[in-house]
Amino acid sequence: MTTVTRLPACRVLIGPGARHDIPAEAALLGGRALLVATRSAGAAADELAGALGDRLVARFDGPVAHTPVEVTARAMELVRARAPDLLVAIGGGSAIGLAKAISARTGLPQIAAPTTYAGSEVTGVLGETENGTKKTRRDPALAPGTVVYDAELTVGMPPGLTRTSALNALAHAVEALWAPDATALTDALAVESFALFLTHLPAAIAHGADLGARQPLQQAGWLAGLCLAQTTMGLHHQLAHALGGTFDLPHAELHAMLLPHVMAFNLPAAPAAADRLTRAVGPDPVAAVRSLAQGYAGPRTLAELGVPRAGLPAVAERVAANPYPNPRSFDADELLGLLEQAWS
Ligand code: NAD
C-alpha cells in the first residue's frame, strides 16, 4: 500500500527572542497585518503591536477554543474593514485556529507564534464549531507559512497548563506511532518528542521561567505537531472529540486525562509502537506518562471534569459504531470499560 504523507511548506524561526523578527517577516508578506491574539498573550501582543507600528492595521483579541464560526464572523468584519495583507497569530491553539479560519475565507498568508504546545501552527487541520457541532477539515494550504518558536513566549504558562498542554502534544506523538500512515519520519519525530517531554517537563513545571527546559519542550511540541500534521489520529483523538463535543470539556485537560488510559488499552496491540517507546523511556511508558500527570491540582478524572457517568454508554456506542483507524479493534463494552476507568 502506498502511504501519502502531508508536509506543509513552512518557514520556521526558532530561538529565544525570535518574536522580534516578526515585523521583518510581516514586511516580506506585504506588510499590513491583522494581529490575532489570545488574551493571556496580551503583554506579548502589546509588545508586537508596538513593534509592527504602522504595519498593524487591526487587532482582534477574542479568539475562543474550538473556533466558533460566530467569532470568526466578527473577526471577518475587521478583515473587510481594514483589508490586511497578512495575519499574525500569537497565543495558544485558539488564536492560531482563528487565523486559519480567516485564511480559509480570504487566502491571506499567516505568521503563527504559539504560546502553548498544542501544535496547531504546523498543521493544515482546522476544526470549526457551528451550532454545537465541530467539523474538521485538512488542507496543507491552511497551515501558516511562517512559524515563530520563541520559548520566551511560553514562560508565562502556569504549571497546570504547562502539564496539560504537554500531555496534549504527547498524545499527537503517541498516536502517530500506531497510525496506519506512520512513516520512518513520523516515528523519529514521535520518539524524540516523547523523550524531550519526559525529560524536560518536570523542570518546566517546577521553574516556569527556566528557558533550559522551556526551549526543548517547545521543540517537542513542534515535533508532536508535525506528527499530527502527517498521520491519521486514532482512538485517543476520537474519544477526545466525542467527549469534548458532547460535554463541552476543556481541550488540553481532557487529552491529558485520557492519554494513559488509551495507551494502556492500545499498546498491547501495537508492539512496534510499544517497542519504540520502551527503548526511548524505559520498560513502562504508560507509568512514565502517568507520572507526568501526578501532582496536577486540576480535575484528574472524567467525573471531576463534570462528565455524567450515565452519559458514557452513548459515547462508547457512538465511537464503536464508527471508529477511527486504531491498532486495537473493540466493541462498545470494551470501550465503556476504558471510559469507566477514566471516569473514576
Ligand atoms: P487555548 O489557545 O484555548 O489556550 C488555553 C488557555 O491557556 C487559554 O485560557 C489561554 O488564554 C491560555 N494561554 C495560552 N498561552 C498561554 C501562556 N503562554 N501563558 C498563560 N496562559 C496561556 O488552548 P490550546 O490548548 O493552546 O489549544 C487548544 C485549541 O487548539 C482547541 O481549540 C483545539 O481544538 C485547537 N487545536 C488545533 C490543532 C490543529 O491542528 N488544528 C491542534 C491542537 C489544538
Side-chain angles (χ1 to χ4, degrees), residues 97-306:
L98 175 57
K100 282 183 184 174
I102 299 171
S103 181
R105 287 157 176 76
T106 58
L108 288 174
Q110 307 165 64
I111 299 175
T115 62
T116 68
Y117 307 127
S120 177
E121 67 282 355
V122 287
T123 79
V125 180
L126 170 62
E128 295 186 275
T129 312
E130 184 164 21
N131 300 325
T133 304
K134 188 164 177 178
K135 286 204 186 110
T136 299
R137 58 178 138 156
R138 221 180 231 269
D139 177 353
L142 292 173
T146 306
V147 175
V148 179
Y149 285 116
D150 181 343
E152 288 173 2
L153 292 175
T154 63
V155 298
M157 271 199 275
L161 177 64
T162 300
R163 197 189 303 266
T164 55
S165 186
L167 282 158
N168 175 197
L170 204 57
H172 306 150
V174 169
E175 289 233 283
L177 284 173
W178 59 50
D181 42 5
T183 62
L185 177 61
T186 57
D187 285 345
L189 295 171
V191 169
E192 178 66 3
S193 172
F194 199 89
L196 285 172
F197 274 125
L198 260 67
T199 306
H200 296 285
L201 186 56
I205 289 170
H207 308 286
D210 177 1
L211 275 181
R214 289 292 187 184
Q215 173 89 0
L217 280 183
Q218 191 177 49
Q219 300 286 282
W222 176 29
L223 304 185
L226 289 170
C227 288
L228 175 66
Q230 294 172 65
T231 57
T232 306
M233 297 285 111
L235 177 62
H236 174 89
H237 279 75
Q238 187 173 17
L239 286 176
H241 294 159
L243 289 162
T246 308
F247 303 110
D248 192 22
L249 305 176
H251 182 84
E253 282 91 330
L254 178 60
H255 275 273
M257 182 182 301
L258 284 175
L259 184 60
H261 296 286
V262 179
M263 286 176 73
F265 186 81
N266 267 356
L267 280 177
D275 183 47
R276 287 200 170 84
L277 289 179
T278 304
R279 276 186 281 139
V281 299
D284 194 344
V286 179
V289 169
R290 243 187 226 122
S291 75
L292 291 182
Q294 269 165 19
Y296 179 50
R300 293 177 57 179
T301 63
L302 290 177
E304 286 172 13
L305 262 190

Side-chain angles (χ1 to χ4, degrees), residues 34-124:
L34 165 64
L35 180 60
V36 176
T38 310
R39 269 183 233 289
S40 57
D46 290 347
E47 180 195 52
L48 182 55
L52 284 166
D54 291 346
R55 293 190 192 284
L56 182 69
V57 295
R59 174 168 168 175
F60 187 85
D61 283 306
V64 173
H66 308 301
T67 335
V69 292
E70 314 83 76
V71 175
T72 304
R74 286 209 299 280
M76 282 299 297
E77 287 168 20
L78 268 182
V79 172
R80 280 189 286 271
R82 307 307 311 261
D85 303 317
L86 76 145
L87 308 165
V88 179
I90 184 164
S94 300
I96 291 165
L98 175 57
K100 282 183 184 174
I102 299 171
S103 181
R105 287 157 176 76
T106 58
L108 288 174
Q110 307 165 64
I111 299 175
T115 62
T116 68
Y117 307 127
S120 177
E121 67 282 355
V122 287
T123 79

